[in-house]
Amino acid sequence: MRSDSLAFRLIAGAALWSGIALIAGGLTLSAIFRNSVERSFDARLDVLLDSLIATTEVNEEGNLARTRALSETRFDLAYSGWYWQIWPVAARPAQRSRSLFDQSLDLAPLQDAKRSENGLAVFDTLGPEAQKLRVAERRVTLPDYDVPVSFAVAGDRSEMNEEIQGFNTWVFIAMAAMGAGLLVALLIQVQFGLRPLERVRFSLAQIRSGRATRLDGEFPAEIEPLAEELNGLLEGNREVLERARTHVGNLAHALKTPLSVLTNEARMHDGPFGETVDRMARQMREQIDHHLARARMAASANVLGAHTPVEPVLERIVLALERIYEDQGISIELDCPDEAGFRGEAQDLEEVAGNLLDNACKWANARVRMTVIPDAAMRKARPFLCLRVEDDGPGLPEGARNAVLKRGARLDETKPGSGLGLSIVTEIAELYGGELKFETSALGGLRADLYLPSAAA
């Protein structure tokens, strides 16, 4: 997929916003879950703290005493991560759980902790062996005890963090899977949504190759006006071409009639004046024929939808030339695939093929071969076909190959013709975006490769 394509822009834009939405959603879910887990953990610490306070009383000696153990057995395991501590604020010796062993809870962060309405403070601190602890602390004034007592319960944050990390992992997997699914859905949606444009492209290619003359089929409401405008443009192009051909034909008829009259009148007068008029009239006729032919070729070369099967045209030319050169014993071989097509009009194909074959027959000793290559390689975007004509004649020196393409050039005056054939072939090829090349033939003579736009692709 090209980076400047409409599909890429749609997919990239939708994927970008979907990715941002999924990341934002994942972060939001993670934050909500983290808050929920922390509230649940804090609520558990609060319950244990209330149990610790409820099971502590002042004995007959005026000291703090525990009436029963807490239900959490990890308070009895050394450095288990779960601890409690009872500390009279007046710097009296503190009581602590067996899990603290010979350590005590660091209550320094308590100074910056905020207390709730019931006096509860929750904060994070480090415990034995650098454990990350979550601490819930409350100061209570007990009956018959002269100083406030700080009750604290601590739990290992690693349990909470593991639960949060596990949730985040599943959120990441779920968001990644959802993102992949959305991307696949986007690809399918874009491909399905842009399929009518592919049909338009295919229809235009059919028109360009000559297989169709208009955009046919049903299109979505957004593309239907475009198809109608294109069909109108094609129809208008054909009408303009027909009008131009009509005007060209009228012009040719209007000019040739007076020229014929001048020629006839000049021939009736002997002498230099009559010869000059006759010569100038013939030159004018040649120029008119030449430029009118170029105008017709230029119009037909640019018309959309022109398509000509190659094989029937070449078979007719070969049959006619075999009869013309029958007395000279010239054999013409034709190798043309059935699917070969020319993106142009039959008149132009007859003109170039006839000139090439006629020129080869004039110079051949006994054999002429024409090969049609439907998919000839040229450094151009559109497909080309190659008309290859070879003969077993004397060939043509490399230095003289460009000279024969000049209008009216003739290397041997003994051969019939006006010297215009190859120049006409070159002009037609150039109008169609092709070219004419000369090489040495495998038969021993000259090989002419004529490239013309193909209608087979």
Side-chain angles (χ1 to χ4, degrees):
M1 186 183 300
R2 290 172 48 182
S3 59
D4 60 344
S5 66
L6 184 59
F8 178 83
R9 294 179 182 180
L10 292 174
I11 293 174
L16 176 62
W17 287 111
S18 297
I20 293 174
L22 288 175
I23 293 174
L27 294 176
T28 303
L29 287 176
S30 177
I32 293 174
F33 183 78
R34 177 183 289 274
N35 292 334
S36 176
V37 171
E38 288 182 350
R39 286 196 301 268
S40 176
F41 197 82
D42 293 346
R44 182 180 178 187
L45 291 177
D46 192 19
V47 170
L48 290 174
L49 183 61
D50 289 340
S51 298
L52 180 64
I53 295 172
T55 58
T56 303
E57 63 182 22
V58 182
N59 59 17
E60 295 177 355
E61 290 79 13
N63 296 323
L64 298 176
R66 299 289 314 287
T67 59
R68 66 176 185 275
L70 297 178
S71 60
E72 180 59 64
T73 60
R74 284 180 289 181
F75 287 125
D76 297 327
L77 301 177
Y79 306 140
S80 63
W82 287 84
Y83 313 105
W84 60 261
Q85 178 176 286
I86 303 174
W87 174 65
V89 178
R92 298 180 184 182
Q95 297 183 30
R96 48 185 177 264
S97 63
R98 292 182 180 179
S99 55
L100 274 172
F101 197 56
D102 58 350
Q103 303 286 327
S104 61
L105 293 176
D106 181 13
L107 300 181
L110 182 62
Q111 299 177 358
D112 300 326
K114 295 182 180 180
R115 294 184 180 275
S116 63
E117 295 179 356
N118 59 2
L120 178 67
V122 180
F123 57 92
D124 295 327
T125 188
L126 292 177
E129 299 183 347
Q131 294 171 322
K132 294 182 179 181
L133 303 178
R134 184 81 168 170
V135 181
E137 189 270 351
R138 181 182 289 127
R139 290 185 180 183
V140 179
T141 301
L142 297 176
D144 301 326
Y145 202 73
D146 54 351
V147 296
V149 180
S150 172
F151 291 88
V153 174
D156 192 353
R157 281 191 62 97
S158 62
E159 297 181 11
M160 181 173 58
N161 292 337
E162 288 176 1
E163 188 174 355
I164 294 174
Q165 183 62 36
F167 178 80
N168 289 341
T169 300
W170 281 108
V171 167
F172 175 79
I173 294 174
M175 293 300 173
M178 188 178 298
L182 285 175
L183 184 59
V184 173
L186 284 172
L187 290 171
I188 296 174
Q189 180 181 359
V190 170
Q191 292 296 328
F192 178 76
L194 296 181
R195 188 173 297 173
L197 292 180
E198 180 65 20
R199 287 167 47 201
V200 172
R201 186 202 65 80
F202 177 77
S203 297
L204 289 176
Q206 293 289 89
I207 293 172
R208 184 177 180 83
S209 65
R211 296 178 180 271
T213 58
R214 57 181 288 113
L215 291 175
D216 293 323
E218 297 182 359
F219 297 98
E222 295 79 5
I223 300 180
E224 187 175 358
L226 174 63
E228 292 177 354
E229 291 296 329
L230 285 174
N231 285 331
L233 179 63
L234 294 173
E235 185 63 30
N237 184 59
R238 281 191 291 270
E239 292 178 357
V240 169
L241 178 63
E242 290 300 326
R243 286 198 298 269
R245 285 177 174 172
T246 301
H247 292 320
V248 167
N250 293 338
L251 178 61
H253 180 73
L255 291 176
K256 285 182 179 180
T257 301
L259 285 176
S260 299
V261 173
L262 286 176
T263 302
N264 293 332
E265 290 294 329
R267 289 175 181 174
M268 295 175 62
H269 295 80
D270 296 331
F273 177 77
E275 294 177 358
T276 301
V277 173
D278 183 56
R279 184 174 64 255
M280 291 297 103
R282 287 199 305 270
Q283 291 180 5
M284 291 173 64
R285 183 187 296 275
E286 290 180 0
Q287 292 294 326
I288 290 172
D289 291 341
H290 170 67
H291 289 291
L292 291 180
R294 280 187 63 93
R296 181 193 60 79
M297 289 186 294
S300 61
N302 294 319
V303 66
L304 295 176
H307 172 263
T308 301
V310 175
E311 188 176 22
V313 174
L314 297 185
E315 287 179 346
R316 291 196 302 269
I317 296 174
V318 169
L319 181 61
L321 290 176
E322 283 180 341
R323 293 177 179 175
I324 294 173
Y325 292 96
E326 183 178 5
D327 295 338
Q328 300 180 21
I330 302 298
S331 172
I332 304 177
E333 304 172 14
L334 176 61
D335 182 10
C336 179
D338 296 337
E339 70 276 8
F342 166 54
R343 198 192 67 79
E345 295 198 345
Q347 300 175 42
D348 297 331
L349 181 61
E350 291 175 354
E351 185 81 14
V352 294
N355 275 297
L356 286 179
L357 282 173
D358 183 57
N359 188 73
C361 290
K362 290 176 182 177
W363 293 93
N365 294 323
R367 187 180 176 192
V368 174
R369 180 171 63 196
M370 181 172 221
T371 307
V372 178
I373 306 173
D375 299 313
M378 280 191 68
R379 294 181 180 178
K380 296 189 178 182
R382 52 182 176 171
F384 277 76
L385 63 86
C386 176
L387 302 181
R388 177 168 294 172
V389 179
E390 302 174 86
D391 63 71
D392 60 350
L396 188 64
E398 187 172 352
R401 291 174 182 175
N402 292 330
V404 298
L405 298 179
K406 296 180 181 179
R407 183 171 181 80
R410 299 179 62 191
L411 299 182
D412 190 349
E413 298 293 336
T414 63
K415 298 293 182 180
S418 61
L420 301 177
L422 293 181
S423 66
I424 293 175
V425 173
T426 303
E427 290 175 359
I428 295 178
E430 291 175 351
L431 288 172
Y432 279 99
E435 60 180 332
L436 176 63
K437 294 181 178 180
F438 291 121
E439 300 289 344
T440 301
S441 171
L443 301 180
L446 183 66
R447 188 186 86 189
D449 288 343
L450 175 63
Y451 293 91
L452 296 173
S454 173

